Amino acid sequence: MTPQIPTPSLGSSPVPASRRTGEARRRGDELLSIGAVLAFLRDDFPEVTISKIRFLEAEGLVEPQRTPSGYRKFSAADVERLAYVLRMQRDHYLPLRVIREHLDAIERGEQPPALPGAESRPGPLEEADRELAAAAGVLPGGVRLGRAELIAAAEAQERELVEWESYGLVQPGPDGGYDGEALQIARLVAELGRFGLEPRHLRAMKAAAEREVALVEQVVAPLRRHRNPQTRAHAEATARELATLSVRLHAAMVQAGLRSRS
């Protein structure tokens, strides 16, 4: 069973103290189903979903027990972990890798790393670089996701994926699987959807991306046709660098445009 994690002094506790105490008194050491955990957390984290909980489990942030028939059963410590992860994402914008380091430190009885202040949070340019790197490294090389796995990892539904595909935002590979870039796009489209932006609103972004791809291809196509393997490798490195610069330029232009209207 996952060890109990004390809540550090990081603002509000993961679950309201009065509610947590009352529930503990009523349940004792009773284990919770994933549906009960969802209901338990939603007062403080309205956006949490069962898919989100499953995704955090898949990422190793929580390890619920399993019944002989395979159903998940969560302890009070598991709920504390989930609340901690959700709060660090919501309030401090920490990536899961850093949150895992926090949890590991707390389990060892150590002080977790200092939280970033508002001034040290990534700006649009740094965020753009991070998203591009994440898209390339979100899955190990050669690993493909099936349709159901993509939907779960993106915290989406089948009908949403169907709509994304109908607008060309997400596309499976020739083998029917999805790579890291497809997963990252799906996650970002899902996040934008929470702000009311529908796939039809994102067609302009897709069209702009296709124009940027065409520009990059103009530069690297002659290098890719070269017989020298080193030159072809240089073409791929150049393409990645141009993609990064393109994303940064786009982010800077959006930031400048918003600032001019404020």
Side-chain angles (χ1 to χ4, degrees):
M1 182 181 297
T2 307
Q4 181 72 32
I5 294 185
T7 303
S9 299
L10 300 174
S12 61
S13 61
V15 181
S18 60
R19 178 179 172 187
R20 187 169 61 251
T21 303
E23 289 285 341
R25 229 184 265 120
R26 182 177 63 81
R27 290 194 319 268
D29 294 329
E30 178 187 350
L31 298 176
L32 300 177
S33 68
I34 193 169
V37 171
L38 179 66
F40 194 75
L41 292 172
R42 265 195 167 162
D43 282 353
D44 297 307
F45 307 99
E47 298 299 322
V48 70
T49 63
I50 285 180
S51 294
K52 175 74 169 182
I53 295 172
R54 288 173 177 162
F55 173 69
L56 294 177
E57 179 190 358
E59 291 292 313
L61 275 300
V62 65
E63 298 179 3
Q65 298 181 44
R66 292 276 186 160
T67 66
S69 54
Y71 290 101
R72 296 171 177 84
K73 289 296 181 180
F74 295 80
S75 68
D78 294 328
V79 178
E80 291 280 347
R81 285 183 73 97
L82 288 169
Y84 186 96
V85 172
L86 294 170
R87 191 171 66 258
M88 291 300 100
Q89 286 186 311
R90 181 193 64 193
D91 298 346
H92 302 285
Y93 307 96
L94 295 185
L96 294 182
R97 173 183 56 79
V98 175
I99 297 174
R100 188 179 292 108
E101 292 173 358
H102 279 234
L103 291 169
D104 290 344
I106 293 171
E107 286 189 349
R108 293 192 302 267
E110 301 171 1
Q111 186 68 20
L115 293 168
E119 68 282 353
S120 64
R121 290 175 186 161
L125 300 186
E126 293 79 7
E127 188 72 17
D129 286 346
R130 191 184 73 179
E131 292 290 354
L132 196 62
V138 69
L139 291 177
V143 174
R144 312 280 287 181
L145 293 179
R147 191 174 188 85
E149 292 172 316
L150 179 77
I151 291 171
E155 301 177 41
Q157 299 179 11
E158 171 68 25
R159 60 176 177 77
E160 292 176 307
L161 180 54
V162 169
E163 187 176 16
W164 299 343
E165 290 177 335
S166 71
Y167 283 96
L169 300 175
V170 178
Q171 293 294 338
D175 61 353
Y178 300 85
D179 59 16
E181 284 83 2
L183 172 56
Q184 192 71 357
I185 291 170
R187 286 173 172 171
L188 292 171
V189 171
E191 286 291 330
L192 289 168
R194 296 186 181 103
F195 291 90
L197 291 176
E198 300 176 8
R200 59 189 175 87
H201 300 138
L202 305 180
R203 287 182 295 184
M205 294 185 184
K206 177 174 171 54
E210 290 173 346
R211 288 193 293 270
E212 291 170 13
V213 169
L215 287 174
V216 172
E217 281 297 315
Q218 287 181 17
V219 175
V220 301
L223 299 175
R224 283 177 171 160
R225 291 194 295 265
H226 206 280
R227 293 182 179 180
N228 189 326
Q230 292 182 340
T231 302
R232 293 198 298 271
H234 175 64
E236 298 309 314
T238 300
R240 288 193 297 271
E241 184 175 0
L242 287 173
T244 300
L245 291 172
S246 176
V247 170
R248 297 188 72 207
L249 176 61
H250 180 84
M253 287 181 170
V254 171
Q255 182 183 20
L258 291 173
R259 186 180 295 115
S260 69
R261 299 187 182 192
S262 60

